[in-house]
Amino acid sequence: MKHLPTGAAMVAGVVGQPIRQSLSPFLHTAWLRHMGLNGVYAPFSPADDHAFERLVLSCRTNGIKGLNITAPFKELALKLADTSSDLARRCGSANLLTFDEDGSVHAHSTDGHGLIQAFHLQAPECDLTSGAVTLLGAGGASRAVVAALLDKGCRDVRIVNRTVARAEEIVFAFKEGVNAYALSDIDRAFAGSVAVINAASGGPLPLFDALDSSATAMDMTYRPLKTNWLQAAEAHGLKTVDGLMMLIEQARPSFTAFYGQAPDTDFDVRALALKFLGETK
């Protein structure tokens, strides 16, 4: 291990409710130790929106570099920021807040970047612009994924949700290239899709019969690594992308924003994370 430099530690963290199961502190701490940076990355678990607002207010003046934001505070994080990236505004939420020396807060979203990079690394043969991409779930993370897919060049994004009205809200937000489907119409949504992405929690496993065997399935969940969704997709002969890779790749730009250096790409943080999670691959 490298010797840490002297001086005040750079402090950042992750905020959510609950937060105990988040792997973000493990990832950022592993990078900090490997790179010999004098930094701290801590979990915060405010009880409610009011407590989250007080936390952000405190961070304006206490020297914290920034925060990663997870459920249920992503939409509120965007509202509390003084400035925001165009991407965050399009997503309607932020998973990254940074604090300037003057106390101002900037909001950004890296979730979509993480998903695109995960496909690039684990399914490089999957061209997300060559056909439809179907997304199950219409929560905050789904908006970030839709924005990233549209920026990538995908022109047929299909949102499947148990409550169609929630999916239609995303359609209204982006308009061009996005359509809503009911869960009962999932086969039609799957037809012609080059990739299907699960951003929903729970619910019945879909049949993958309507998908071509060359399609790729991804689950944004990383506990467990091989979810029932991914196991069913593999049993159907589909290629898969897991949520751990997305988590790692969305964390990289956050680390750079917090500590001023990009994580060492030669350092296999995924192998450490798999060992920590008790996973074999």
Side-chain angles (χ1 to χ4, degrees):
M1 182 188 299
K2 300 177 183 178
H3 293 291
L4 293 177
T6 59
M10 298 174 285
V11 181
V14 60
V15 185
Q17 181 60 257
I19 201 62
R20 186 171 58 89
Q21 293 298 312
S22 173
L23 195 63
S24 293
F26 178 88
L27 296 175
H28 286 265
T29 300
W31 281 325
L32 286 167
R33 289 177 177 174
H34 172 74
M35 298 172 68
L37 297 178
N38 188 11
V40 175
Y41 188 93
F44 298 92
S45 185
D48 51 30
D49 286 357
H50 180 64
F52 176 69
E53 290 180 24
R54 285 190 283 114
L55 173 64
V56 172
L57 179 62
S58 173
C59 289
R60 288 178 178 270
T61 58
N62 64 10
I64 285 184
K65 298 293 184 180
L67 298 169
N68 283 128
I69 313 298
T70 186
F73 303 118
K74 288 185 178 183
E75 293 183 6
L76 181 56
L78 178 63
K79 294 177 182 178
L80 295 177
D82 300 302
T83 61
S84 56
S85 67
D86 175 69
L87 179 59
R89 291 192 296 272
R90 291 172 62 211
C91 295
S93 64
N95 77 318
L96 171 61
L97 293 180
T98 53
F99 300 89
D100 293 336
E101 291 184 359
D102 64 2
S104 60
V105 185
H106 181 72
H108 189 48
S109 176
T110 67
D111 283 331
H113 168 82
L115 181 134
I116 297 298
Q117 284 297 106
F119 268 87
H120 173 70
L121 293 168
Q122 291 192 312
E125 70 288 342
C126 179
D127 181 359
L128 295 171
T129 68
S130 65
V133 176
T134 298
L135 181 64
L136 271 72
S142 297
R143 289 184 181 240
V145 170
V146 171
L149 289 170
L150 294 176
D151 287 348
K152 178 73 174 176
C154 181
R155 290 296 172 259
D156 187 2
V157 181
R158 304 169 180 179
I159 312 296
V160 179
N161 199 61
R162 187 186 305 276
T163 305
V164 182
R166 288 290 304 276
E168 289 175 341
E169 288 176 6
I170 299 180
V171 173
F172 179 78
F174 292 96
K175 298 180 175 66
E176 294 292 331
V178 188
N179 291 285
Y181 291 78
L183 191 60
S184 59
D185 207 17
I186 194 170
D187 283 351
R188 190 163 66 89
F190 275 8
S193 293
V194 297
V196 291
I197 301 166
N198 184 30
S201 57
L205 284 173
L207 298 175
F208 295 100
D209 296 340
L211 288 169
D212 187 89
S213 60
S214 63
T216 300
M218 189 242 182
D219 196 328
M220 292 170 62
T221 298
Y222 59 88
R223 288 181 186 261
L225 185 70
K226 286 295 179 70
T227 62
N228 290 336
W229 166 276
L230 292 185
Q231 291 181 45
E234 286 185 340
H236 201 76
L238 304 179
K239 305 176 187 66
T240 61
V241 175
D242 61 60
L244 176 60
M245 189 61 78
M246 176 181 172
L247 179 73
I248 292 171
E249 293 307 311
Q250 67 81 29
R252 291 185 185 277
S254 294
F255 185 92
T256 304
F258 298 149
Y259 305 111
Q261 296 185 42
D264 186 351
T265 55
D266 293 330
F267 176 59
D268 193 356
V269 74
R270 179 180 170 88
L272 288 180
L274 289 173
K275 184 177 180 181
F276 179 78
L277 292 170
E279 300 281 357
T280 57
K281 64 178 181 177

